[in-house]
Amino acid sequence: MLLADLTVFVLGLLVGFEVITKVPATLHTPLMSGANAIHGIVLAGVMLMAAAVSTATGYAVVLVAAAFAAMNVVGGYVVTDRMLTMFDPGARARS
Amino acid sequence: MSAFDSTVQLVLLACAALFVVGLHLMNAPSTARRGNRLSAAAMTVLLVLTALTLVHEQQITVGAVVALTAGTLGGGVAGWFAARRVAMTAMPQLVSLFNAVGGGAAALISLGEALNPATDPDRRPVQTAVSMILGMAIGGLTLSGSLVASGKLAGTLPGRPIAVPGRSWAAGLLGLVVLGLAAVLLTAAGAEVAALSGIGLAALLSGVVLTLPIGGADMPVVVSLLNACTGTAVAMAGFVLRAGVLIIAGALVGAAGAILTKLMADAMNRSLAAIVAGGYGTGDVAVPAAAGGTAAVREIAAADAALQLAYARKVVIVPGYGLAAAQAQHEVVALARALGERGVEVGYGIHPVAGRMPGHMNVLLAEADAPYQQLLDLDEINPQFPATDVALVVGANDVTNPAARRPGNSVSGMPILDVDRSRSVIVIKRSLGHGYAGIDNELYTGRTTAMLFADAKKGLAALLAGVREYAT
């Protein structure tokens, strides 16, 4: 099981390197912000963890972790979208 | 595996693939927004699906549902408002803040796993325990480190390097504490929560100790590095929970952070080790130039500089940290537009480390509606300088220093913009103060260089007024 997980991890890294080296410097800030939003996926992890807790301390941990992760994922995508709108004059005119 | 489980697994795989496609679409400004929206859509599906799975399995307690919902709503709304309201110049600190909470969430997943009464610590696989330790250590370090970085970028903490006495000793000691507690966690069942909390505290302290002594100008690299750390922490959470999609997403972010960190460090001509070691890199040192250097400096009045710009055929504008700090992006674009209306060919030469994050200058200029085709990077703009009548440098220092072409000084070998090869240079700068490399800029004493001593915003406004005087 560990080997399967490690395989996924290493392949993910390689695909990441391959895709991201092609992004031009102009878009590096949105790229970082967009990648930042993707690690908000940790919210799914918080949900899985929540399924296993049943104590007051556990609930408190879930509450804080969910708030952190949700802020990360929502804020990350919204801020990236705002930045990218600026690179798209058509979208700016519409908004 | 039931039909439901298989379907869930397939959809999760599709979501992971969409993250990759979304990042891929970020390779061109015309498709980048679609890429980000695709990634966000995949995320939404994935989160809804995860919630559905929990409902389907009916294994979650009411208390946990309440905690989860309240946390998600609260955090989501806070994130939404922060993201809508932030000014483009304040973007780096907000991204760093989001990074901090992401790392914090990953660390808390480790703690949650230890609090889980259903799993028997004695029967937990060693790799899960190791992933928990790593997730807690990396996540905790990212949380506090990113908060310090965010504070430095926002100015709530001083941007200068803050010396931490006995820093390397403290860092080493904290590392040993983490290792010791990790050994306790792996061997003594029952001490898990305590050991993990201890690891978390030590990691939080390490984040502060490691980030405080790094100067503001090096922050872009630090933010990028910590982003890579969060990716890794999320992947660790994936190992703990045996969730492949977390591992994939974490690895993607880890790779993105690692690449950007490397690019930034190269563009600043610094090794990553030197940046992490800290001690310099403030970006705002105002040391008076050496006496010998000031003698040859030629000062120019705004009106004369405007005249020169207005009657040039080709002007290249080089914006730097000073422009970002003064938030003068609208002024510079207004000036470029006025010049363009007079028939002057205008381009922007953008160094990779201009601004406060990788590529931040492009975002600022795009915000002010600078045409994308005019934003040129190092390789595109450098061959154009010999055919440029005026290079207008606004608040950039080390990245224009011709001394970088010679060995034997602190900027040697740094990739620079060849502004000194243009027919004439106008530099808008408040003083002859040094950049973060702490050496004189030979450009300022160059034969073809004129200095316009002013704040970026005021200087550009004066130039614009001057250029408008010659409007036909």
Side-chain angles (χ1 to χ4, degrees):
Chain A
M1 286 217 304
L2 175 67
L3 206 59
D5 286 348
L6 272 179
T7 310
V8 169
F9 181 65
V10 172
L11 287 179
L13 276 181
L14 290 176
V15 170
F17 275 114
E18 203 49 43
V19 169
I20 289 149
T21 40
K22 297 197 171 66
V23 176
T26 306
L27 291 170
H28 277 171
T29 291
L31 169 69
M32 191 193 285
S33 175
N36 200 7
I38 288 180
H39 68 53
I41 196 176
V42 74
L43 183 55
V46 175
M47 288 182 185
L48 296 178
M49 172 187 85
V53 297
S54 57
T55 59
T57 327
Y59 295 154
V61 171
V62 167
L63 180 82
V64 177
F68 277 4
M71 185 174 169
N72 187 178
V73 70
V74 174
Y77 277 117
V78 172
V79 100
T80 311
D81 191 62
R82 258 188 76 197
M83 264 192 270
L84 289 172
T85 311
M86 298 182 175
F87 286 91
D88 183 355
R92 290 196 74 172
R94 286 192 296 277
S95 62
Chain B
M1 198 182 265
S2 72
F4 180 84
D5 286 341
S6 317
T7 315
V8 166
Q9 288 306 320
L10 279 176
V11 178
L12 288 183
L13 180 65
C15 291
L18 285 179
F19 289 142
V20 176
V21 174
L23 282 176
H24 174 72
L25 288 176
M26 283 217 183
N27 67 8
S30 53
T31 56
R33 190 157 183 244
R34 195 160 13 113
N36 186 56
R37 298 206 148 180
L38 198 63
S39 168
M43 183 67 77
T44 313
V45 170
L46 192 146
L47 293 174
V48 170
L49 194 69
T50 309
L52 283 179
T53 318
L54 294 184
V55 174
H56 178 76
E57 291 171 1
Q58 295 177 324
Q59 55 183 191
I60 193 163
T61 62
V62 176
V65 171
V66 171
L68 201 53
T69 314
T72 305
L73 282 179
V77 169
W80 171 274
F81 277 105
R84 296 299 310 173
R85 292 199 176 154
V86 67
M88 282 299 142
T89 40
M91 189 66 64
Q93 51 264 41
L94 188 70
V95 171
S96 188
L97 183 67
F98 288 154
N99 191 37
V101 291
L108 287 174
I109 285 183
S110 291
L111 189 61
E113 178 70 15
L115 287 168
N116 180 358
T119 50
D120 180 357
D122 284 333
R123 302 223 322 259
R124 177 179 289 129
V126 167
Q127 55 259 42
T128 307
V130 171
S131 306
M132 280 165 70
I133 293 164
L134 287 174
M136 183 52 112
I138 302 171
L141 185 109
T142 315
L143 173 59
S144 61
S146 296
L147 282 178
V148 171
S150 178
K152 283 196 174 225
L153 286 167
T156 44
L157 286 171
R160 66 187 157 79
I162 300 167
V164 176
R167 174 176 181 250
S168 41
W169 286 103
L173 193 67
L174 287 168
L176 284 178
V177 168
V178 169
L179 284 179
L181 288 172
V184 171
L185 191 147
L186 286 173
T187 50
E192 275 200 320
V193 176
L196 211 52
S197 309
I199 290 173
L201 275 181
L204 286 173
L205 274 175
S206 314
V208 175
V209 167
L210 289 173
T211 326
L212 270 184
I214 303 177
D218 279 340
M219 274 309 135
V221 186
V222 176
V223 171
S224 180
L225 183 65
L226 290 169
N227 199 35
C229 287
T230 316
T232 318
V234 170
M236 289 306 146
F239 280 104
V240 172
L241 300 165
R242 303 233 59 249
V245 69
L246 255 72
I247 300 178
I248 295 175
L252 285 176
V253 181
I259 291 171
L260 290 179
T261 308
K262 173 85 172 69
L263 287 175
M264 290 295 285
D266 285 352
M268 292 168 97
N269 198 32
R270 307 265 313 269
S271 73
L272 190 54
I275 291 167
V276 175
Y280 65 106
T282 60
D284 51 5
V285 212
V287 191
T294 46
V297 167
R298 184 160 62 92
E299 215 180 317
I300 191 170
D304 296 334
L307 184 70
Q308 213 183 326
L309 289 169
Y311 289 96
R313 270 182 304 112
K314 184 174 166 71
V315 170
V316 173
I317 300 172
V318 176
Y321 182 87
L323 183 136
Q327 307 198 13
Q329 67 270 31
H330 293 283
E331 282 75 5
V332 83
V333 173
L335 175 64
R337 197 170 294 137
L339 288 172
E341 281 162 11
R342 288 184 51 84
V344 181
E345 186 191 342
V346 184
Y348 299 86
I350 301 173
H351 194 274
V353 294
R356 316 170 76 195
M357 246 176 109
H360 187 212
M361 189 58 72
N362 295 285
V363 174
L364 295 181
L365 292 175
E367 184 203 7
D369 273 338
Y372 172 66
Q373 311 84 287
Q374 288 184 3
L375 311 180
L376 304 170
D377 67 25
L378 210 57
D379 298 333
E380 291 171 311
I381 199 73
N382 270 347
Q384 296 188 24
F385 279 115
T388 299
D389 297 310
V390 187
L392 178 66
V393 179
V394 189
N397 194 338
D398 294 327
V399 298
T400 60
N401 194 344
R405 297 195 199 106
R406 284 186 284 105
N409 59 64
S410 59
V411 292
S412 293
M414 178 168 182
I416 57 161
L417 288 153
D418 296 330
V419 287
D420 58 323
R421 292 187 175 150
S422 59
R423 296 195 184 112
S424 68
V425 185
I426 297 171
V427 180
I428 303 183
K429 207 170 176 294
R430 275 182 303 188
S431 70
L432 281 175
H434 290 170
Y436 84 102
I439 65 167
D440 284 334
N441 190 339
E442 294 172 8
L443 179 71
Y444 302 164
T445 50
R447 203 173 37 82
T448 54
T449 307
M451 302 292 295
L452 175 59
F453 290 112
D455 165 76
K457 206 166 188 150
K458 292 196 186 107
L460 286 166
L463 286 181
L464 177 62
V467 168
R468 287 220 171 113
E469 263 185 50
Y470 305 107
T472 43

